[in-house]
Amino acid sequence: MNRHSSTATRPTTAKSPLSTAAITVAFVFLAIGVLGFIPDVTSDFEDLGMAARRSEAHLFGIFRVSMLHNLIHLVTGVVGLALARTATGARVFLVGAGAFYLVLWVYGLAIDQGSAANFIPVNTADNWLHFGLGVVMIGLSLLTGRRRDRS
């Protein structure tokens, strides 16, 4: 068979929809993590602390951030890129990180934002963003991970 024939079979290197979704989410987390360290994007940047009450900086003037909070976003993105190389890894990332952000949402709702327990730190906007991220990530794993009928 001619190697240029359209009927020749070649291994595909195309990413699955699940991997593509995980890579996209991972890049969003990396971008947000980096943006949290940029003064003009993060208001009160001079008040960016390592964690907790030492940080009064706000990403986009809305979401309370700290160095720890930004690092969590960066680590989430790096882990996502590492796991997204396979469909199984992508699913593990989307479901696992999605569950983590849902737990972080519950945590943020349960603590007093003015207390030492708010060590990341989070505010109400962060809490609802964490909820949305968790739902979207788990939803993406379900919607893009469905097996196609091979008949």
Side-chain angles (χ1 to χ4, degrees):
M1 186 180 293
N2 182 342
R3 70 179 207 177
H4 296 291
S5 169
S6 63
T7 59
T9 58
R10 293 183 206 162
T12 181
T13 58
K15 294 284 183 198
S16 70
L18 189 59
S19 290
T20 300
I23 289 167
T24 302
V25 169
F27 274 121
V28 168
F29 275 106
L30 288 171
I32 294 301
V34 169
L35 289 172
F37 288 109
I38 298 176
D40 289 337
V41 179
T42 301
S43 62
D44 300 317
F45 185 78
E46 63 280 356
D47 295 325
L48 181 70
M50 183 57 196
R53 294 184 198 156
R54 294 183 205 110
S55 188
E56 290 297 328
H58 290 79
L59 182 62
F60 305 124
I62 301 169
F63 305 102
R64 191 166 174 206
V65 292
S66 66
M67 288 182 214
L68 175 62
H69 203 152
N70 293 336
L71 290 172
I72 289 170
H73 293 142
L74 290 170
V75 168
T76 300
V78 169
V79 168
L81 288 178
L83 289 174
R85 292 185 288 175
T86 67
T88 300
R91 181 176 290 109
V92 166
F93 167 66
L94 289 171
V95 172
F100 170 77
Y101 279 93
L102 287 175
V103 167
L104 193 55
W105 168 63
V106 171
Y107 173 78
L109 292 177
I111 63 165
D112 176 0
Q113 291 179 7
S115 74
N118 192 9
F119 67 95
I120 293 176
V122 296
N123 63 12
T124 302
D126 289 307
N127 290 337
W128 291 106
L129 179 60
H130 293 152
F131 172 76
L133 287 169
V135 169
V136 166
M137 291 171 76
I138 292 170
L140 281 171
S141 76
L142 295 172
L143 293 173
T144 61
R146 291 191 174 152
R147 301 203 189 281
R148 293 186 181 130
D149 181 29
R150 296 184 180 205
S151 56

